[in-house]
Amino acid sequence: MPRPEITRNPTDPTNPAAPSIPTPGRVWPVVLVACAGQFLVILDVSVVNVALPSMRTELGLTATGLQWVVSVYSIAFAGFMLLGGRAADLFGRKRMFVTGLTLFTLASVVGGLAQEGWQLLAARAVQGLGAAVLSPSTLTLVTATVPDGPARSRAVGTWTAVGAAGGAAGGFIGGALVDLLSWRWVLLINVPVGAVVLAAALLWLTESRVEGGRRLDLPGAVLVTGGLATLAYGIVQTEESGWTSPATLIPLAAGALLLTAFVLVERRTPAPLMPLRIFRTRAVSAANVTMLLCGSSSFGMWFFMTLYAQNVLGYPPLQAGLALIPSSASVIAGSKLAPRLLPVLGPRAVAVAGALVAAAGFAGQSTMTPDGTYLTAILFPGILMMFGIGMASTPLAVLATTQAPPSEAGLASGLINTSRTMGGALGLATLSTVAATVTAGATSAEALTSGYAAAFRTAACVLVGTAVVMAVWLPKGERRQTRKG
């Protein structure tokens, strides 16, 4: 048998379970590659939004089919991410990064060349699978590369900012590509960019994984992936069928049963995909729950802001994308400010403050009108919403990853990514249902605005509740540890 690779922690050269650390001169190139990969996969959550009308015209997609262009990617992304995170630990972070990026890029080619709606949806699902393999290794590479302390908090802040900027920049990039080229380029643009990132990964990344066997918990992987995907499918069905329809209740019940079976399997298997002991760490469990709640609001923001700009205010795709640039800048600003506040205020206070700022932005956006101006209907609320989301997400990512054992770094990274992405998929489906219920099938500017406003009000309430959960559940003693680091 081949000799397993042994990875080491720079603070403990004898520790075989810790990830390897590049020399100081190679730290930031590794962070750059990891962030570039994360930017790509988060970008594709939102980049298709402004292209949806063009896709519908050319491929004959229904309104439900349009939502599935967004949702099928998020569901596959979230559903397979725990598997991707564990695979990174067992088979190598660099190997999974390269594998996921290659799969993601090839699926982008297929999606960009699709001639039928089902071909586009299939390509988006495979894109999500590639993203699920790629994304956990990006955060693991960052936390494994940068030593614990303020430097790591800044690096995680950069990773959070870049990922959030991917979601924020999707509107602008998508709008520019649709206006200047065609909707197909919102997918095809991933090909040259993916090739550059792949070349940089092969050049700069070094392999690392935990010591030991490579047994993967396939029953657990099937159950959690099926459970998350089925649950998300059930929520998506609510927009078309309602909450009491068998088409909704059956997949919701099936998803809950599959996730229950997953927990039972994980308690008994000798090599679980997700060791349940990881949730005994208060920081990890609290950070993941609150990240899921934050994600449930942030993904819907881009979707509804783009639709409002185009369907109500009449912005063309490029102008709609340009309108969201300040929001893109604000999420980066919030993510970069958070690490500076952590040593002073501690992760809990920073996260709570971010959630409340975001809630204020969502509440402001809920006052939108059919004849709203750019300053009051898009600019100011968008800045508040995304500044707060960026500010809240960074301390949650830090808590979720730095408190986990080094041997489970990939799992912790996959878990926090799963929480954010699954929260986004579930939140988008739920908020879409809220908007559709209020709109009741009407297509006038007034009706659409009322539906979008209801979605933003719901998200604001969720974020206020999230701030309360953060204040109660996130650990109290983290400020002292962060300052010491």
Side-chain angles (χ1 to χ4, degrees), residues 156-420:
V156 173
T158 299
W159 177 88
T160 303
V162 169
F172 165 65
I173 294 174
L177 292 172
V178 171
D179 265 8
L180 299 176
L181 297 170
S182 79
W183 69 263
R184 297 183 181 279
W185 280 95
V186 301
L187 299 173
L188 293 176
I189 192 64
N190 293 326
V191 179
V193 177
V196 171
V197 177
L198 183 61
L202 295 172
L203 178 64
W204 286 331
L205 299 185
T206 55
E207 189 59 279
S208 68
R209 65 169 181 265
V210 299
E211 185 184 22
R214 300 191 183 186
R215 180 178 177 182
L216 197 59
D217 176 21
L218 290 180
V222 171
L223 287 171
V224 71
T225 300
L228 291 174
T230 306
L231 190 65
Y233 174 80
I235 293 181
V236 170
Q237 287 295 100
T238 60
E239 181 175 359
E240 184 175 356
S241 305
W243 286 96
T244 58
S245 167
T248 297
L249 295 177
I250 291 174
L252 288 178
L257 288 174
L258 288 171
L259 292 177
T260 301
F262 168 70
V263 172
L264 295 176
V265 167
E266 297 307 280
R267 292 179 61 182
R268 291 171 172 78
T269 186
L273 174 69
M274 187 179 70
L276 298 181
R277 64 178 179 274
I278 196 171
F279 292 108
R280 296 173 187 167
T281 304
R282 180 179 177 182
V284 173
S285 55
N288 275 278
V289 170
T290 50
M291 181 67 90
L292 184 145
L293 294 172
C294 284
S296 70
S297 300
S298 62
F299 280 34
M301 178 268 185
W302 301 119
F303 184 78
F304 290 109
M305 286 286 274
T306 303
L307 292 179
Y308 174 64
Q310 291 186 271
N311 295 342
V312 176
L313 300 183
Y315 289 11
L318 180 57
Q319 187 179 354
L322 289 171
L324 297 179
I325 286 182
S327 302
S328 305
S330 70
V331 75
I332 296 173
S335 299
K336 296 301 289 181
L337 175 64
R340 298 179 181 274
L341 298 178
L342 291 179
V344 180
L345 302 176
R348 182 175 65 175
V350 175
V352 169
L356 291 176
V357 170
F362 277 88
Q365 188 64 51
S366 71
T367 63
M368 62 208 301
T369 61
D371 56 352
T373 65
Y374 173 67
L375 290 179
T376 59
I378 292 180
L379 179 63
F380 293 145
I383 288 175
L384 280 178
M385 282 187 280
M386 298 319 295
F387 183 87
I389 291 294
M391 188 175 171
S393 298
T394 297
L396 297 180
V398 170
L399 285 172
T401 55
T402 59
Q403 300 298 314
S407 62
E408 295 171 356
L411 171 63
S413 300
L415 190 59
I416 194 67
N417 273 296
T418 298
S419 298
R420 176 167 61 178

Side-chain angles (χ1 to χ4, degrees), residues 452-476:
Y452 302 155
F456 281 108
R457 278 195 299 274
T458 302
C461 293
V462 169
L463 284 168
V464 171
T466 301
V468 173
V469 173
M470 289 173 173
V472 173
W473 197 1
L474 289 177
K476 298 179 180 180

Side-chain angles (χ1 to χ4, degrees), residues 10 21-31 145-147:
I21 302 295
T23 58
R26 296 190 63 183
V27 166
W28 287 104
V30 172
V31 174
T145 299
V146 184

